Amino acid sequence: MSVGINWSDFNLNSVKGPIKQVIYINIESGCSNEFVRLPLMIAKGSNDGPTLTVLGGVHGDEYEGPFAVRELFEKLDTESLNGTFIGLPQSNPPATKYGTRKSPIDNLNLARVFPGNKDGTITEKIAHFISKQLIDKSSFLIDLHSSGTHISTPTLVGYDGSEKGVNNGSKESALSFGVDVIWGHNSLSGGRSISYADSINIPWLYTECSGGGWLHIKEAHLYAKGVFNVMMKLKMIRGEIRKVKPKFQLFGDGDMDESITASVSGYLVPKVNMLSRVTKGHLLGEILGPANELLAKVKSPTNGVVVLIRRSAAVIKDESITFLVTGESP
Ligand SMILES: [Zn+2]
């Protein structure tokens, strides 16, 4: 069963369980009386328990998170569910429609505008709705990203690496998720869903995987399994977590938009593999000109592990090349 409702009329507290329902939230797009329809997949169990919000598709060119949210929702049984699962398979419908990172309506990046603005543009309104109606009422937030069309990362889970994250279960949940790479952060750039959750003391995780603009089904299943593990940890569902010891426990900043900048325009040839351990000054890539002349070398600014590699060859002067090297947990 699915219903449509105006965003100002939605109230999570009025959803009575047990219920499994898709609710379409209508938000004015700002374009000639049109609405954006934000699909919420709500499963509320027979028993009380935590509220978990899982976002997919914050960027419209990422497909594993949306697939995992749908898979999770389909598999949940309200009879045995404790608490409430809220899944958004398309957190940013205009961007999803066109397969773009930013919204084609206002050119904003949803992952940079949280907690949004009720009276702002459509992306800010979506962020406001997710923040105030969902994150504020959640016990835990998971934001399922993947690296999008132009960049690549290993499959990883990011967590709150501060003392707070150790105490509120963020780190423990990352260790339970079941992936080979976990990445702790003790500071976050503003405007992300997780930075808003962090600011109001709601524990969080996010994920990344290889991207490229198509769906990696194996990673999508891994995401769903990882969220189920977190739900077991939160005692929302029963089951035993099969723990996988991560091969890489990374630590450091994780802003994908704040990596190394191109000194010249040209085309990029990466010279490192994903998860290579490099030292400061190590050659990460070369920027070549039309006749293969070497225009610039891209060197690592620090010692660490390569977690982000640009996959689009064309680079433009002063743009981010999106190589990112981060440290490891001691
Ligand atoms: Zn993303």
Side-chain angles (χ1 to χ4, degrees), residues 4 9 19 49 64 73-74 88 101 114 123 127 169 185 239 243 288 309 319 326:
D9 296 331
I19 195 167
E64 292 75 13
F73 183 69
E74 279 163 19
L88 277 79
R101 183 171 172 84
F114 279 89
T123 305
H185 308 289
K243 279 206 173 179
L288 304 181
I309 296 179
E319 274 190 359
T326 190

Side-chain angles (χ1 to χ4, degrees), residues 58-59 61-62 101 111 144-148 208 256:
V58 164
H59 293 127
D61 59 345
E62 302 175 4
R101 183 171 172 84
L144 300 173
H145 285 255
S146 36
S147 34
E208 297 286 353
M256 292 164 76

Side-chain angles (χ1 to χ4, degrees), residues 223-239:
Y223 278 7
K225 209 170 142 201
V227 175
F228 274 131
N229 283 348
V230 175
M231 292 178 78
M232 286 175 207
K233 230 196 108 342
L234 295 171
K235 301 200 175 356
M236 294 178 73
I237 55 173
R238 269 199 289 270

Side-chain angles (χ1 to χ4, degrees), residues 1 23 69 108 111 159 203 218 226 260 312 326:
M1 184 172 66
I23 301 176
V69 169
L108 288 178
Y159 67 92
K218 208 174 123 202
I260 301 162
S312 292
T326 190

Side-chain angles (χ1 to χ4, degrees), residues 21 51 65 78 93 122 180 190-191 205 207 212:
Q21 188 176 38
T51 296
T78 54
I122 183 61
D180 284 336
L205 294 179
T207 62

Side-chain angles (χ1 to χ4, degrees), residues 47-63:
N47 308 308
D48 288 343
T51 296
L52 170 68
T53 292
V54 184
L55 306 180
V58 164
H59 293 127
D61 59 345
E62 302 175 4
Y63 302 99

